[in-house]
Amino acid sequence: MATAMTLTSLEAQLANHSALPLRATLGSTMLYHGISKLKPQGLEQTAQFFDNIGIKPGRTWALATGWTEAVAGVLTFLGIGTRVAAVSILVTQAMAIAKVHGSKGFNNQAGGYEFNLSLIAGALGLLLGGPGILSVHHVVQPRARRRGGLLGLLRRQRVSPISRIVPLLA
């Protein structure tokens, strides 16, 4: 019986850390794709592509998509605002499937939605499970609770504006 307790406690401990590799890969992937779209050449290519597929104005949507992907990547990687970032990833990838990859089938090598579906699965995992223990959220959350929860945190004058926003992003 002692072995079962040890395995159970080890399982629980590992589950608390399981979001880290998911956050690291999903976050870095989204950051990479966002930055690629925001570089001058990438922005022009993305804007032209968006215009060609009917997402107009292309430049505006290319900028919005690039910034959304980059910010979602950073938030996901750090583990703060993870659920907001996850929803952002879900929206960008659903749009990518609907407008670009869906008609090409599943196979990524044929331009299909296989990769986008993997990003969606990762984002759903973080949306449902949260950022995990090894995250900025886990460090900041106890501080917010000590100050009387979200309402107490928002009422205090000595709290920085960033500290007021952090609990909202968890």
Side-chain angles (χ1 to χ4, degrees), residues 7-75:
L7 288 176
T8 302
S9 63
L10 177 61
E11 238 177 37
Q13 192 126 18
L14 289 174
N16 286 331
H17 296 79
S18 64
L20 181 61
L22 177 57
R23 283 195 356 257
T25 56
L26 183 60
S28 59
T29 299
M30 295 310 296
L31 179 60
Y32 173 81
H33 284 277
I35 288 173
S36 295
K37 285 178 180 71
L38 294 173
K39 289 180 179 178
Q41 184 178 3
L43 181 60
E44 292 311 313
Q45 287 175 347
T46 304
Q48 185 178 16
F49 178 72
F50 280 8
D51 277 330
N52 289 340
I53 63 170
I55 301 174
K56 297 184 182 206
R59 184 173 174 80
T60 301
W61 284 109
L63 277 168
T65 303
W67 278 109
T68 299
E69 290 177 350
V71 170
V74 170
L75 292 175

Side-chain angles (χ1 to χ4, degrees), residues 134-156:
L134 299 175
S135 64
V136 172
H137 170 78
H138 188 72
V139 172
V140 173
Q141 184 183 24
R143 183 174 163 215
R145 284 189 178 154
R146 281 194 307 270
R147 294 180 183 246
L150 179 59
L151 291 177
L153 187 64
L154 293 173
R155 286 186 190 133
R156 296 193 188 271

Side-chain angles (χ1 to χ4, degrees), residues 50-122:
F50 280 8
D51 277 330
N52 289 340
I53 63 170
I55 301 174
K56 297 184 182 206
R59 184 173 174 80
T60 301
W61 284 109
L63 277 168
T65 303
W67 278 109
T68 299
E69 290 177 350
V71 170
V74 170
L75 292 175
T76 299
F77 190 86
L78 294 175
I80 188 80
T82 310
R83 289 186 168 103
V84 171
V87 169
S88 299
I89 294 167
L90 291 171
V91 169
T92 60
Q93 297 312 303
M95 186 63 123
I97 290 171
K99 287 292 202 172
V100 180
H101 303 285
S103 63
K104 298 174 184 170
F106 181 75
N107 186 353
N108 187 57
Q109 292 179 339
Y113 57 87
E114 178 181 3
F115 179 66
N116 307 94
L117 197 59
S118 295
L119 296 176
I120 286 172

